[in-house]
């Protein structure tokens, strides 16, 4: 930068400095004028407020006339404005003095009303305190009553405890009394049982006298059988009549067995009579049929009797006890065994064609290889019965219980199982007459059908035919 440029720049800076100074001086003048105008306006307003515009004008006019002579009008105008101004200032003073008094009066009135309210409030407080005192006295009285009541409750609880102890003692006495009553009842029951036993034994003693009659009759039987002319071992009609009359007299009764009365009445004498007749090997064509037709052997006691190959065709043995008896190869065709007890009986290879075994008890009975065609097992109990290889053509097992029974290799053609229980029954190699046999079981509402259909199937056999119908053998799947 050369000297001429520096000089020009200095001159420019000086000009700018002068312009700034002028600007600042102008701004300062404006601010002073503004301040002067504000003071003037404030003083003017204050003068107007204190002195008044008319007094000011009259004083200016009086100053203008001085030092010369002041006119009366000017002087009067100044005096009038002074009096008016002074009067106006007095009114303001009075007003300024009266306003606090008014405020004090209003405050006094408000304080008086407030004091009245405080007085009323104090009266209410006094009334409230009085009520609280009364309430406290009532609560104290109530607490006293509660204390008395608690004391009464304590006394009552003590008496209740005493009463409970007495009741407990009474209950103990009642329990002891009940135990004595139970003991007494047991003794009475035992006594009644003994009386009943004694009564039954007396009746048995009375009936035992008939044994002598039975001995006489059996002697007569022996006499007729020993007659050389009687080669057929037949009995006379008179003797058969006496046998029938004797069996009718041998009524069933309850007797002691293992020191206890049996549950249902039986006739041991009828059983003895029947065994004696069977062992006599009488005529099968006329004598036995005549005896069984005319003689009643119901409720005969044949428990564990040995009746091997016995001829009992059409014998009347309803409700008889044949439990555990040996009926192997016996002939009971057409026999009436309704409600008879045949539990665990051995009836293998026996004949029961058209026999009535309805409602009979046949638990664990063994009929293996027996002829049971057209036998009636209606409502009979045959759980775990052994019926393997039996001829059951046309037999009726309606409502019978055959749970766990073994019917394997049995002939079941036209056998009726309506509503029977065949749960877990064994049917392997049994023979039926229809390929729709399972459907027939369903129609009969047989129990255990699902397991039967799940475990067995039908297989047609061609080697045997019956009445034009095919045989079907039951095979395990």
């Amino acid at each position: 930068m050369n000297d001429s440029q520096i000089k020009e720049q200095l001159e420019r800076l000086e000009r700018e400095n002068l312009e700034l100074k002028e600007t600042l001086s102008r701004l300062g003048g404006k601010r002073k004028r503004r301040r002067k105008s504000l003071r003037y306006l404030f003083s003017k307003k204050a003068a107007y407020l204190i002195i008044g515009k008319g007094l000011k004008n009259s004083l200016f006019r009086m100053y203008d006339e001085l030092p010369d002579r002041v006119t009366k009008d000017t002087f009067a105008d100044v005096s009038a404005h002074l009096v008016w101004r002074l009067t106006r200032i007095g009114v303001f003073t009075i007003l300024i003095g009266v306003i606090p008094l008014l405020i004090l009066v209003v405050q006094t009135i408000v304080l008086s009303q407030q004091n009245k309210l405080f007085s009323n409030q104090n009266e209410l407080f006094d009334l409230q305190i009085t009520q609280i005192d009364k309430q406290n006295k009532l609560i104290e009285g109530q607490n006293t009553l509660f204390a008395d009541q608690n004391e009464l409750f304590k006394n009552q609880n003590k008496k209740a405890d005493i009463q409970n102890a007495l009741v407990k003692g009474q209950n103990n006495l009642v329990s002891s009394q009940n135990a004595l009553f139970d003991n007494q009842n047991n003794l009475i029951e035992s006594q009644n049982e003994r009386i009943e036993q004694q009564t039954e034994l007396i009746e048995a003693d009375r009936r035992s006298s008939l044994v002598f009659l039975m001995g006489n009759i059996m002697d007569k039987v022996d006499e007729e059988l020993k007659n050389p002319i009687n080669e057929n071992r037949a009995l006379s009609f008179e003797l058969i009549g006496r046998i029938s009359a004797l069996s009718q007299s041998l009524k069933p009764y309850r007797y002691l067995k293992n020191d206890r009365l049996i549950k249902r009445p039986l006739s041991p004498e009828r059983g003895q009579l029947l065994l004696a007749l069977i062992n006599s090997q009488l005529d099968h064509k006329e004598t036995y049929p005549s005896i069984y037709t005319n003689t009643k052997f119901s409720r005969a006691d044949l428990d564990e009797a040995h009746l091997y190959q016995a001829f009992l065709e059409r014998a009347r043995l309803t409700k008889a006890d044949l439990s555990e008896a040996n009926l192997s190869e016996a002939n009971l065709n057409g026999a009436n065994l309704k409600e008879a007890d045949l539990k665990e009986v051995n009836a293998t290879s026996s004949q029961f064609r058209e026999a009535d075994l309805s409602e009979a008890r046949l638990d664990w009975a063994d009929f293996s290889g027996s002829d049971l065609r057209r036998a009636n097992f209606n409502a009979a109990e045959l759980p775990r019965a052994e019926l393997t290889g039996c001829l059951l053509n046309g037999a009726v097992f309606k409502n019978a219980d055959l749970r766990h029974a073994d019917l394997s290799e049995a002939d079941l053609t036209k056998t009726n199982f309506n509503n029977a229980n065949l749960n877990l029954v064994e049917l392997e190699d049994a023979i039926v007459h229809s390929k729709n046999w399972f459907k027939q079981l369903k129609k009969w509402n047989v129990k255990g059908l699902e397991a039967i259909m799940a475990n067995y199937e039908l297989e047609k056999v061609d080697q045997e035919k019956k009445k034009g119908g095919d045989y079907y053998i039951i095979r395990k799947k």
Side-chain angles (χ1 to χ4, degrees):
M1 185 179 291
N2 54 23
D3 294 337
S4 61
Q5 290 177 348
I6 294 170
K7 186 177 180 180
E8 287 179 0
Q9 189 173 3
L10 290 174
E11 289 176 356
R12 185 173 56 78
L13 291 173
E14 287 178 359
R15 284 195 302 271
E16 289 179 356
N17 190 14
L18 289 174
E19 288 177 358
L20 289 173
K21 286 180 179 180
E22 289 177 358
T23 303
L24 290 173
S25 64
R26 284 197 303 272
L27 291 173
K30 287 182 180 180
R31 191 172 294 172
K32 288 179 181 179
R33 285 195 300 271
R34 189 179 296 171
R35 289 177 181 173
K36 183 177 180 180
S37 62
L38 289 174
R39 286 196 298 270
Y40 174 78
L41 181 61
F42 180 74
S43 61
K44 184 177 180 181
K45 293 294 181 180
Y48 281 159
L49 182 63
I50 297 171
I51 299 173
K53 185 177 181 180
L55 178 59
K56 180 181 177 182
N57 292 332
S58 61
L59 287 174
F60 282 155
R61 194 168 61 250
M62 186 179 71
Y63 291 152
D64 290 337
E65 291 178 358
L66 289 177
D68 296 330
R69 184 181 177 182
V70 179
T71 62
K72 293 180 180 181
D73 293 332
T74 302
F75 185 75
D77 194 14
V78 171
S79 299
H81 280 94
L82 284 172
V83 172
W84 182 81
R85 175 54 56 191
L86 290 174
T87 304
R88 188 177 179 185
I89 292 171
V91 171
F92 283 131
T93 304
I94 291 169
L95 290 174
I96 292 170
V98 168
I99 287 171
L101 290 176
L102 291 173
I103 293 172
L104 288 173
V105 170
V106 172
Q107 186 177 8
T108 302
I109 293 170
V110 171
L111 288 173
S112 176
Q113 291 178 353
Q114 188 176 7
N115 289 332
K116 288 181 180 179
L117 292 174
F118 281 138
S119 178
N120 293 331
Q121 189 176 10
N122 290 332
E123 290 178 358
L124 291 174
F125 280 142
D126 292 336
L127 182 61
Q128 186 177 9
I129 290 169
T130 303
Q131 296 295 332
I132 290 171
D133 291 336
K134 290 180 180 180
Q135 186 177 7
N136 290 333
K137 288 180 180 179
L138 291 173
I139 290 172
E140 289 177 359
Q142 187 177 9
N143 290 333
T144 304
L145 292 174
F146 278 138
D148 295 339
Q149 186 179 12
N150 291 332
E151 190 66 27
L152 291 173
F153 278 140
K154 288 181 181 179
N155 295 330
Q156 186 178 6
N157 290 333
K158 290 179 180 179
K159 292 180 179 180
D161 292 337
I162 295 171
Q163 185 178 8
N164 290 333
L166 292 173
V167 171
K168 186 176 180 181
Q170 185 179 7
N171 289 334
N172 291 332
L173 292 174
V174 170
S175 298
S176 300
Q177 186 179 11
N178 289 334
L180 292 173
F181 278 138
D182 291 338
N183 189 24
Q184 184 179 6
N185 290 333
N186 291 331
L187 292 173
I188 290 172
E189 288 178 2
S190 178
Q191 184 180 6
N192 290 335
E193 185 177 356
R194 292 300 179 186
I195 291 171
E196 186 178 5
Q197 290 176 0
Q198 186 177 4
T199 303
E200 294 290 344
L201 291 174
I202 291 171
E203 183 67 15
D205 290 338
R206 185 187 68 82
R207 289 170 184 165
S208 63
S209 62
L210 297 173
V211 175
F212 297 103
L213 179 60
M214 183 171 64
N216 294 331
I217 290 175
M218 292 311 298
D219 290 338
K220 293 293 183 182
V221 171
D222 189 52
E223 287 179 8
E224 290 191 5
L225 291 178
K226 287 181 179 180
N227 190 345
I229 302 174
N230 190 7
E231 295 179 356
N232 295 330
R233 303 183 66 80
L235 298 180
S236 62
F237 291 110
E238 292 81 2
L239 186 55
I240 291 173
R242 291 178 64 184
I243 291 171
S244 299
L246 174 61
S247 181
Q248 184 67 29
S249 302
L250 299 174
K251 301 289 186 183
Y253 57 93
R254 296 171 66 195
Y255 58 88
L256 285 177
K257 187 175 184 179
N258 298 326
D259 199 33
R260 297 186 68 86
L261 287 173
I262 59 175
K263 293 183 179 180
R264 56 184 186 137
L266 294 171
S267 177
E269 293 78 20
R270 284 182 182 173
Q272 293 173 12
L273 177 61
L274 181 60
L275 283 172
L277 293 172
I278 290 172
N279 292 326
S280 297
Q281 298 296 320
L282 301 176
D283 175 35
H284 288 193
K285 292 183 179 180
E286 295 183 2
T287 303
Y288 276 134
S290 180
I291 290 174
Y292 294 150
T293 302
N294 297 288
T295 307
K296 186 177 182 181
F297 291 102
S298 60
R299 293 188 181 273
D301 188 359
L302 294 165
D303 180 26
E304 300 182 5
H306 184 72
L307 297 169
Y308 175 71
Q309 293 183 344
F311 184 85
L312 291 165
E313 187 172 310
R314 300 194 179 279
R316 294 193 290 172
L317 292 164
T318 57
K319 299 183 180 180
D321 185 1
L322 289 158
S323 57
E324 301 183 38
N326 183 4
L327 290 170
S328 179
E329 300 183 24
N331 183 352
L332 287 101
N333 292 331
N336 188 349
L337 292 159
K338 185 175 182 180
E339 299 183 49
D341 188 351
L342 291 152
K343 292 192 294 288
E344 300 184 42
V345 69
N346 178 12
T348 57
S349 303
S350 56
Q351 299 180 43
F352 283 84
R353 289 193 306 275
E354 299 181 0
D356 187 358
L357 291 155
S358 58
E359 301 181 50
R361 291 178 292 276
L362 297 155
D363 312 52
W364 296 92
D366 188 357
F367 288 95
S368 301
S370 295
D371 186 353
L372 300 168
R373 287 175 289 179
R374 297 180 299 281
N376 181 10
F377 289 94
N378 184 26
E381 297 178 10
L382 296 109
R384 299 190 181 277
E386 191 74 26
L387 297 165
T388 56
C390 288
L391 297 176
L392 291 166
N393 315 51
V396 177
F397 288 93
K398 186 177 181 181
N399 298 311
D401 184 1
L402 287 154
R403 287 172 298 169
H404 298 276
D406 190 351
L407 293 168
S408 57
E409 301 180 15
D411 188 347
L412 303 179
T413 56
K414 298 184 180 179
T415 304
N416 188 339
F417 290 104
N418 189 11
N419 204 33
N421 188 345
L422 297 179
N423 274 316
L424 303 175
V425 71
E426 182 68 37
L427 292 167
E428 188 174 9
D429 296 332
I431 297 173
V432 296
H433 64 284
S434 173
K435 63 180 179 180
N436 296 320
W437 189 69
F438 290 148
K439 292 182 180 180
Q440 184 63 50
L441 291 181
K442 186 175 182 180
K443 290 181 181 179
W444 281 334
N445 194 28
V446 167
K447 296 178 181 65
L449 177 61
E450 295 80 4
I452 292 173
M453 295 180 68
N455 296 319
Y456 296 99
E457 61 184 358
L458 296 179
E459 179 183 323
K460 185 178 180 181
V461 290
D462 299 325
Q463 64 271 22
E464 293 185 16
K465 294 181 179 293
K466 184 180 180 181
K467 295 183 181 180
D470 296 331
Y471 274 140
Y472 292 86
I473 192 167
I474 302 174
R475 300 290 192 188
K476 278 193 175 182
K477 290 184 179 179

